[in-house]
Structure formats: C-alpha cells, structure tokens
Amino acid sequence: MRLISELSREELEQIVQSVQDLLYLDTGQSGDFYNPEKDWSGADVCESIAATLREFGLVPEVATPAN
C-alpha cells in the first residue's frame, strides 16, 4: 500500500475530484452540474471511493499496522 505522502499533488487532486463528483455531480438535459442536494446511496459511494483508492494503490493487500 502506498503512503499518502507518496502521492503527487496531481494524484491528490484527482482523488478529491473523484469524491466530489461522486457526491455532487449530476447530469441533466442541459449538461453536467454540481448539485448540493444530489441523492446518492452511501453504499454505492463507499464502493466507488474504495475503487478510487484501489486505483491509486491506497488499499492494503494484507492486514497492515496503522502508523
């Protein structure tokens, strides 16, 4: 598992953008927009965040002591 300190600024920005989009990005007939009242499922969001963390190597492969 990579350490958070090993991530570049660009990678950190991508992760935050992904989370922000999951929570607030809506699509409509007039295009994409950020909606502070977007409905979302907690389980779906958690699953998507886990996939994003996995993409950046931030998921432990085995049980690992916390720092």
Side-chain angles (χ1 to χ4, degrees):
M1 176 174 78
R2 289 174 70 188
L3 299 174
I4 294 169
S5 60
E6 296 173 345
L7 296 171
S8 69
R9 180 181 175 101
E10 182 179 310
E11 290 172 313
L12 290 169
E13 289 175 358
Q14 289 173 358
I15 292 167
V16 172
Q17 184 69 60
S18 176
V19 171
Q20 187 177 40
D21 289 351
L22 285 167
L23 294 173
Y24 304 112
L25 185 63
D26 245 333
T27 56
Q29 293 177 347
S30 59
D32 295 347
F33 62 99
Y34 287 98
N35 177 2
E37 297 185 23
K38 176 184 172 187
D39 288 330
W40 42 264
S41 161
D44 290 342
V45 169
C46 286
E47 199 172 300
S48 295
I49 290 172
T52 298
L53 294 177
R54 192 170 22 264
E55 177 183 338
F56 286 90
L58 296 171
V59 176
E61 295 177 17
V62 297
T64 305
N67 293 337

